Amino acid sequence: MSPQRTRQLVIGGVCVVTAVILFWAISNWVLTPRRTLANRIAKMQSDIEGYRSDLEGEVRVHDQLDAFVQRSLGGTRESVDHAMRAGLSAIAEASGVSDVSVSTAPPVEVESPGRRDFKGVAGKALRDELDFIEVPGVLRGTGSWSEVMSALRGVYAAPWIARVEDVRLGRKGQRNEIDLSVEIRTLFVPGHEPTGEAPLVALNWPPALSEANPFLLPTPPTAEASAAKSQPRPDWARWRVSFLGRIEGVDEVWLNDQSGQTIRLQVGQFVEGSAYQGNQQDPDGFDEAVFTRDGSVWVVPLGGSLGDRRAISR
């Protein structure tokens, strides 16, 4: 081999070795540290975004919690119990109902549904922490239909948190009075006191509840008004007697038609232009309803229709 060829091979080998050494050096001292650093930076940025998202979520949770706290009645059982009684009494007084009574039941503690996820000693405080406490209460009173509806509307429109669980209405005797019973439930977060006035609640109250008392029978027309009206041709076969008796000392008759409609008549009220006069016993001792129309008197037995009427003289 010539000296020139040997020199070329040596120079080529030196170049190859030099290139390998340079590649190794750049890879280990520049590229690999750069990739490692880039990965660390990306992970840190991901962690930062996660922390930022958690902080924003925590802020939203605290804002929502604060909104509930501002609508609560206090932060302790004693203060909430007292405020609830005072609030319900004020609603009853403003509505005008009488015989008012307000009572509360023992509070109900509600634990976190995720308490099992809080493991170990570090999560003990979160496991033992209550989500909130519920306080049941009952408002009772007596008043006219408008007074009772005013009280009920006041409960629904109360600015503090209240879930209406049961409403009971009942007519009281012969008077135009209604017995009202409303069961509600409020809640509070222990140790969190509201710092200002609770926001007002927008209430869409049904107009029908502000109308006349549905427990009262319609006022029977006067004799003059009945005489002045033209009496249409009666549909005798339409109505059938389904009940005869006395309710609270007053004679009543119930009539049904084929469509299932029912009317209740007391003495002096009309059906098909005929005035109901009360009940009497037939020769066999069974009750029958007495009606008058155009000066004639006739009776209908239980189960019979007005078409089965029998004229009598009195």
Side-chain angles (χ1 to χ4, degrees):
M1 181 179 296
S2 65
Q4 184 178 2
R5 181 61 176 169
T6 302
R7 187 183 302 109
Q8 290 176 349
L9 292 174
V10 171
I11 292 173
V14 170
C15 290
V16 171
V17 172
T18 303
V20 171
I21 293 174
L22 287 175
F23 177 78
W24 179 86
I26 293 173
S27 176
N28 286 274
W29 297 342
V30 178
L31 298 180
T32 299
R34 184 178 182 276
R35 284 196 299 269
T36 303
L37 185 59
N39 291 336
R40 291 179 60 188
I41 292 174
K43 184 178 184 305
M44 289 181 179
Q45 289 177 340
S46 177
D47 292 342
I48 291 173
E49 290 299 324
Y51 294 147
R52 181 180 291 114
S53 177
D54 291 343
L55 290 174
E56 291 175 352
E58 183 179 5
V59 171
R60 288 195 300 269
V61 170
H62 280 290
D63 290 343
Q64 294 173 359
L65 177 61
D66 185 65
F68 281 109
V69 169
Q70 295 308 315
R71 292 190 58 203
S72 67
L73 292 172
T76 65
R77 305 184 184 195
E78 293 77 13
S79 62
V80 172
D81 186 280
H82 173 74
M84 187 179 187
R85 290 173 179 269
L88 292 177
S89 298
I91 291 173
E93 181 179 358
S95 66
V97 298
S98 58
D99 300 332
V100 177
S101 68
V102 177
S103 60
T104 56
V108 179
E109 297 180 348
V110 179
E111 299 177 338
S112 171
R115 65 192 308 266
R116 294 181 179 179
D117 297 331
F118 304 130
K119 308 295 184 181
V121 178
K124 185 178 186 304
L126 295 175
R127 288 198 305 271
D128 296 340
E129 183 180 16
L130 297 175
D131 266 13
F132 54 86
I133 297 178
E134 297 180 343
V135 180
V138 180
L139 168 64
R140 295 183 177 89
T142 301
S144 64
W145 175 257
S146 60
E147 292 170 343
V148 166
M149 287 300 102
S150 177
L152 189 59
R153 182 173 184 174
V155 171
Y156 274 98
W160 35 278
I161 298 174
R163 182 179 67 193
V164 178
E165 297 190 317
D166 186 57
V167 176
R168 297 184 182 183
L169 302 174
R171 183 180 177 186
K172 188 171 184 179
Q174 292 288 336
R175 296 176 294 174
N176 181 21
E177 289 186 341
I178 305 295
D179 284 334
L180 169 68
S181 175
V182 186
E183 296 181 12
I184 69 172
R185 187 179 296 264
T186 189
L187 62 83
F188 69 96
V189 181
H192 293 261
E193 292 283 349
T195 56
E197 294 292 333
L200 297 178
V201 177
L203 180 63
N204 185 17
W205 189 251
L209 295 181
S210 301
E211 296 176 356
N213 185 352
F215 290 92
L216 294 180
L217 293 173
T219 304
T222 60
E224 293 79 3
S226 301
K229 293 181 180 179
S230 60
Q231 297 183 355
R233 181 179 180 85
D235 185 2
W236 298 112
R238 174 185 177 187
W239 298 104
R240 186 171 297 276
V241 176
S242 61
F243 171 82
L244 289 170
R246 295 177 65 84
I247 298 179
E248 297 179 349
V250 180
D251 282 355
E252 273 195 15
V253 61
W254 295 8
L255 304 172
N256 294 347
D257 67 0
Q258 295 178 350
S259 67
Q261 181 183 359
T262 300
I263 60 174
R264 298 172 57 180
L265 298 180
Q266 292 184 341
V267 175
Q269 295 181 314
F270 287 75
V271 59
E272 299 292 347
S274 302
Y276 171 59
Q277 301 297 324
N279 303 327
Q280 71 174 20
Q281 290 186 346
D282 63 10
D284 296 327
F286 296 98
D287 282 344
E288 50 189 5
V290 181
F291 293 87
T292 60
R293 180 184 173 92
D294 298 332
S296 62
V297 182
W298 41 273
V299 295
V300 180
L302 180 64
S305 71
L306 298 188
D308 301 326
R309 66 193 184 281
R310 174 172 55 85
I312 63 174
S313 59
R314 303 182 70 179

